[in-house]
Structures are given as structure tokens and as C-alpha cells.
Amino acid sequence: MSHQRVNKATKKPLEDGTLHTMDNGLQAKIITVSDGVIAGTRQDASGDAVAALLEKSRWSVVDRRQIADGVDSVRDCLIELAEGFNGLIVTTGGTGFGPRDLTPEGTKEALEREAPGIAEAMRLANPKGLGRLSRAIAGTRGAALILNTPGSTKGTVETLEAVIGVAPHAVSLLAGHQPH
């Protein structure tokens, strides 16, 4: 799998120059799915927006990746990042109708269980906007909650804001901390 490490292995700082950790135990990883970002023709604005929103919501961003569009690249990266991880994995990009928009297909191959209510809530974040065109899905692999968000900065923030309040509870349940 070809991907570019942004944070974990290289220890490159996030957008404001520091690595952020929170003391509440909530950890998140971000995958930007974009041929343009990989080629260097596009900035990773949506990945930066996801990181800022997560940090504002008290999640520690412990890894960021940039990968090319495609089923295999998405599947392989999600499987790798979910291994032994209890936290949130957010993808940004590849959820529309473009010929290379294959993030949901790759995500489906990585998921063990889907969470359709979360995906529906994300689509309804802006009921009159372009969110209605989103093919994003949500679900789990191991103890990781995986969410697809759009590649636009506005879209990724709107959809993530719609579900960020329930994500800590979901991650806690995945870890077995709050049995029903």
C-alpha cells in the first residue's frame, strides 16, 4: 500500500505546530483520501479541518495519513490503523459520485459491522445541502469506530459535528466499558 505518513512515524506537527494530546483518553486517527493531495496539487484542508474539530472536541489526534483514492488503498489503511486501536478513525474524501470516489467501497471491505444510524445522521447534518449526495458509511472494526466524511472542508466539519457527541460513548462501548 502506498501512503504518506503525516504524523505517527514522522512526528511532523499538526497545523499549528504542535502535537496534541488530551488527558481524557479519547484518541483519533485521520485518513485523507485524495489523489490530488498525494500528487501535491491540492492542500489537505479537509484533514486539517477534521484535526481542528477533533481537538476542539477533546480528542487526541494520534495519527494522520494521506492516501490515494481507491478501494484497496482505503481498505488496507483502515485495517492497519484499526489493528489494536480503541478510538475513532475519520476518513475525509472519496464519498461522492466521481469515478475515483471509492472510499465507501474500501470502507465496507474493512468493516466488521456497519452503523447505518450514524451515517444517516451525518447525511442529515445539512438536509438542504450536498450531504444528500454523500455515499459515506460508518461502522466498526475491532474496537475502532470508522466514519467516512466528504472531502470538502465545510462538508467534513458539518457531518462530523453531527455525530461527534455520540462518538465517545460508541468508542467506550467498543472497548467493553459500558455494557448494556
Side-chain angles (χ1 to χ4, degrees), residues 117-122 145 147 158-168:
I118 294 174
E120 290 166 17
M122 290 167 46
L145 175 62
L147 308 177
E158 285 177 348
T159 57
L160 191 52
E161 282 178 336
V163 297
I164 197 69
V166 299

Side-chain angles (χ1 to χ4, degrees), residues 7 13-22 26 51 55 59-62:
N7 203 344
L14 297 177
E15 65 179 319
D16 70 352
T18 60
L19 292 172
H20 295 278
T21 57
M22 303 293 170
L26 296 173
E55 290 162 7
W59 290 81
S60 295
V61 177
V62 297

Side-chain angles (χ1 to χ4, degrees), residues 53-54 57 59 88-90 115-125 137-138 145-149 156-171:
L53 177 57
L54 288 171
S57 301
W59 290 81
L88 178 63
I89 301 174
V90 179
I118 294 174
E120 290 166 17
M122 290 167 46
R123 271 188 281 284
L124 292 173
I137 62 172
L145 175 62
I146 298 169
L147 308 177
N148 293 156
T149 67
T156 199
V157 168
E158 285 177 348
T159 57
L160 191 52
E161 282 178 336
V163 297
I164 197 69
V166 299
H169 183 66
V171 167

Side-chain angles (χ1 to χ4, degrees), residues 3-8 14-15 27-33 44-55 59-67 77-78 81-82 85 87-93 145-147 149-150 156 160 164:
H3 65 264
Q4 184 178 19
R5 290 180 186 255
V6 177
N7 203 344
K8 186 178 180 183
L14 297 177
E15 65 179 319
Q27 294 188 333
K29 299 178 179 182
I30 302 166
I31 304 169
T32 299
V33 183
D44 187 7
S46 63
D48 291 341
V50 169
L53 177 57
L54 288 171
E55 290 162 7
W59 290 81
S60 295
V61 177
V62 297
D63 199 350
R64 280 184 70 176
R65 306 279 177 100
Q66 297 171 339
I67 63 172
C77 191
L78 285 170
L81 291 183
F85 179 65
L88 178 63
I89 301 174
V90 179
T91 70
T92 176
L145 175 62
I146 298 169
L147 308 177
T149 67
T156 199
L160 191 52
I164 197 69

